[in-house]
Amino acid sequence: MILNRKFILKGALQEQFTIDLSYSESPEQKGVIIFCHGFKGFKDWGCWQMIANYYVENGFTFLKFNFSHNGMGLEDSAEFTALDKFATNTLGKEMEDIGSVEQFIVNELPEILPVINTDNIFIIGHSKGGVSALLYCAHFDTKIQKVCTWASPFDFHRSWNSKFVDKWRADGVQYIKNARTNQMMPLNISVLEDLETNKEKYSLINAGQKLQIPYLIIQGTDDQAVKMEEFNLLKKHFTKAKSHVILEANHVFGGSHPYLGTALPAHTQELVDVTKEFFL
């Protein structure tokens, strides 16, 4: 039987964020998977919970969460109600949040739910969440044993060209449209300043030289948000990484929001199967 618990943690700047824990009391406990959503993403998107259930059925505990500054409130929702936080989110803040999640798993979860195997910890990042996961595993002292990215860019800020940046500096804020909600989501100038200050820290070229744990890169060939060139750059700079290409898969591997199917999309099924084998 799949069980679910919710917890509220404190992350970057002591801001609260919600985590969902899906698990079973089966004696077969393979470890905990941390899942990091992407840009303009959230823990309750599409078929993420169906993916969580899949991993629980295969012996894992699955922990998904909203980054503290992703624009969501503490309630379960598909609406961005905290755009003031979204406006100040950075890769550094997301790494701090991942740290809070790991500390919860290591220090608190064994007492709360001793049935869960917290000795084995893995992490998955989708899209921008993959960048944050890689940077965290490369730069922090972590007990995470393996990392997998799904449709991760090599340079999240690649589309911020000089015209975009010049207007950003002039106005003090830039806006990214959310095609699903039609919201114009703000990015304060502090985000640009943080990027410039931490250029070396946020570099995946540097992370590729520092990462010590096994890494699996998964990419779809029909991804319009993250092209195959990004995948090739990840392979180039993370020379020890394994990789897997899913033919004709898009950026969300056939998923959608809301997702009304009763089974995982075919590309998503391949995605979770390959990832599971990597974590075993």
Side-chain angles (χ1 to χ4, degrees):
M1 183 172 70
I2 297 173
L3 303 170
N4 298 282
R5 292 277 299 271
K6 294 186 183 298
F7 300 90
I8 294 177
L9 305 185
K10 286 185 178 180
L13 301 180
Q14 295 298 298
E15 290 289 347
Q16 293 182 319
F17 64 96
T18 305
I19 69 172
D20 293 343
L21 194 72
S22 299
Y23 66 101
S24 76
E25 295 180 338
S26 165
E28 180 188 19
Q29 295 283 333
K30 296 186 172 73
V32 181
I33 298 172
I34 301 169
F35 177 75
C36 306
H37 65 72
F39 188 58
K40 296 181 290 184
F42 53 101
K43 68 178 179 62
D44 297 312
W45 186 89
C47 51
W48 294 155
Q49 185 57 48
M50 291 178 67
I51 289 174
N53 294 345
Y54 165 87
Y55 282 109
V56 175
E57 289 166 354
N58 283 275
F60 295 90
T61 292
F62 196 89
L63 188 159
K64 57 187 175 72
F65 67 101
N66 284 329
F67 282 110
S68 64
H69 288 71
N70 78 329
M72 307 296 288
L74 294 178
E75 68 284 353
D76 288 346
S77 173
E79 303 301 320
F80 290 94
T81 58
L83 292 180
D84 57 325
K85 292 182 182 178
F86 180 90
T88 65
N89 195 23
T90 63
L91 289 169
K93 287 187 173 77
E94 295 196 354
M95 284 188 271
E96 285 189 58
D97 293 343
I98 295 171
S100 295
V101 170
E102 182 180 5
Q103 289 305 307
F104 170 78
I105 293 170
V106 172
N107 297 328
E108 299 181 46
L109 196 54
E111 294 185 8
I112 299 170
L113 292 169
V115 67
I116 293 175
N117 174 8
T118 57
D119 292 332
N120 298 330
I121 306 175
F122 313 101
I123 191 167
I124 297 169
H126 174 248
S127 195
K128 182 196 176 189
V131 177
S132 298
L134 280 174
L135 291 173
Y136 179 81
C137 291
H139 293 301
F140 285 75
D141 182 16
T142 176
K143 296 183 182 298
I144 293 172
Q145 296 172 5
K146 294 181 180 181
V147 56
C148 178
T149 60
W150 295 350
S152 174
F154 180 73
D155 177 8
F156 170 68
H157 308 95
R158 66 201 178 284
S159 63
W160 295 358
N161 57 34
S162 58
K163 182 178 179 181
F164 182 90
V165 169
D166 288 344
K167 181 172 175 53
W168 199 349
R169 292 192 199 280
D171 297 346
V173 64
Q174 258 290 15
Y175 293 90
I176 305 289
K177 185 174 182 179
N178 186 320
R180 180 180 63 84
T181 66
N182 289 319
Q183 289 171 292
M184 296 302 294
M185 305 182 73
L187 295 172
N188 289 354
I189 193 67
S190 61
V191 174
L192 178 61
E193 293 168 346
D194 174 81
L195 173 63
E196 293 171 339
T197 300
N198 294 286
K199 188 174 182 179
E200 295 302 314
K201 181 179 179 181
Y202 294 166
S203 165
L204 286 187
I205 295 177
N206 294 340
Q209 297 171 350
K210 293 183 177 182
L211 187 71
Q212 298 297 315
I213 63 175
Y215 172 29
L216 172 64
I217 313 164
I218 303 183
Q219 175 71 27
T221 60
D222 285 2
D223 189 335
Q224 298 304 305
V226 175
K227 305 292 188 179
M228 288 296 293
E229 289 82 358
E230 305 279 314
F231 167 74
N232 291 329
L233 283 168
L234 285 172
K235 287 207 302 178
K236 176 182 177 181
H237 291 284
F238 290 84
T239 55
K240 296 180 180 179
K242 296 181 179 180
S243 61
H244 182 83
V245 171
I246 300 179
L247 297 178
E248 300 183 355
N250 63 14
H251 189 59
V252 290
F253 302 93
S256 61
H257 187 86
Y259 183 71
L260 304 177
T262 57
L264 288 173
H267 290 152
T268 300
Q269 189 64 58
E270 181 176 346
L271 175 76
V272 296
D273 285 343
V274 170
T275 305
K276 178 193 70 175
E277 292 304 312
F278 174 65
F279 286 159
L280 290 175

